[in-house]
Amino acid sequence: MIRLFTGVLFILTLAVSAQAETAAKQYFGAKDNGSSQKSAPYGSYAKGCLAGGQQLVETGPYWQAMRLSRNRNWGHPETVEFVQRLAKKAAKQPGWNGLYIGDMSQPRGGPMLSGHRSHQIGLDADIWMLPATNLKLSRSQRENISSISLRKSNGAFVNSKWTRQHHEIIKAAASDKDVARIFVFPGAKVQMCKDEKGNRAYLRKIRPWWGHHYHFHVRLSCPRGAKGCVDQAPPPKGDGCDEAQTWVNNILNPPPPKPRDPNAPKPKPRGELTLADLPTACTAVLHAR
């Protein structure tokens, strides 16, 4: 009897150990629906999960969710509400009937099987740069249509497809009280800094980052009362325009690489997140109904 108990305990230990070592993205990527828990983000944007995720309706009066096969049109209810109200504002811009919504989060958040390192707690959303003129696209069309790139010269400038409408939609997103940050390619931030003649306070939230020329990435603050949610540090004070110009200057005239210290240890490759790396609550999120 003791041997049987010891054997069962050994097997359970191996199972728990194997689960701890398996990449968390395998578990979260396999979930096709949200948990029945109260909505709550746990952890940080790049290391966490989402309880009680809400699915953005695939087609609404002012939006369409794209790449439906990915099942990434999920988020915290505040993110879903934000997308809906931004889409309504976008529909007032000439040539736009609303928005095409790219990746938000998986049903239970967590690390994704491919792509983003963030988008893990249901508070991130990618908005396509392609004007949403047709809100009756089929599922097949949404898999095959692509957004447009607005960058020129590796991101130092906007190209001819950049419009005042893009400026106004990104401005509307950044002006929203729930938004913490918006990531967009450096040339777009610099262009907005040049073109803005009114209140410039919202520009602080718009941050230059590599890529982000086919879409802009909106990141919401942790909801009020979400004790398990970890906010990113706020952006530096000011409108951030000088910083964006520095990005552009470095693209056009790259500074010489810093010499590597031969005695410095080689950086370790970034490993896959496991369940052990995530907040404890994420295990419950994963196993909830």
Side-chain angles (χ1 to χ4, degrees), residues 225-262:
K227 296 180 180 179
C229 184
V230 181
D231 268 312
Q232 187 175 358
K237 293 183 178 180
D239 59 20
C241 291
D242 288 343
E243 179 191 358
Q245 186 61 55
T246 298
W247 278 65
V248 167
N249 294 342
N250 289 340
I251 291 172
L252 298 175
N253 298 290
K258 294 181 181 179
R260 184 181 177 278
D261 182 353

Side-chain angles (χ1 to χ4, degrees), residues 122-137:
L123 297 175
D124 295 283
D126 290 343
I127 313 295
W128 279 23
M129 297 294 196
L130 178 68
T133 56
N134 181 3
L135 295 179
K136 295 182 179 180
L137 296 175

Side-chain angles (χ1 to χ4, degrees), residues 17-155:
S17 177
Q19 187 180 58
E21 294 176 1
T22 300
K25 66 181 182 181
Q26 301 297 334
Y27 297 117
F28 284 95
K31 293 294 183 180
D32 59 8
N33 63 336
S35 71
S36 58
Q37 301 161 301
K38 180 180 178 181
S39 296
Y42 292 108
S44 61
Y45 301 93
K47 189 182 288 186
C49 61
L50 172 66
Q54 181 178 329
Q55 188 173 31
L56 175 71
V57 176
E58 295 176 2
T59 298
Y62 306 108
W63 73 86
Q64 282 202 295
M66 310 303 282
R67 303 290 192 269
L68 296 175
S69 63
R70 296 181 180 180
N71 197 27
R72 294 178 178 178
N73 56 320
W74 294 76
H76 187 275
E78 290 191 8
T79 307
V80 173
E81 290 172 8
F82 163 78
V83 167
Q84 292 172 342
R85 64 177 176 266
L86 181 64
K88 187 174 182 179
K89 291 177 181 178
K92 297 178 181 179
Q93 294 296 320
W96 293 67
N97 292 326
L99 295 174
Y100 292 139
I101 310 301
D103 286 352
M104 293 171 59
S105 293
Q106 297 176 140
R108 303 191 188 198
M112 291 188 176
L113 287 170
S114 62
H116 320 277
R117 285 193 65 85
S118 60
H119 292 251
Q120 292 193 28
I121 56 176
L123 297 175
D124 295 283
D126 290 343
I127 313 295
W128 279 23
M129 297 294 196
L130 178 68
T133 56
N134 181 3
L135 295 179
K136 295 182 179 180
L137 296 175
S138 67
R139 293 182 66 91
S140 176
Q141 288 172 317
R142 293 186 228 188
E143 293 295 326
N144 294 292
I145 192 174
S146 295
S147 187
I148 56 173
S149 172
L150 299 183
R151 76 176 184 180
K152 181 181 179 183
S153 298
N154 253 356

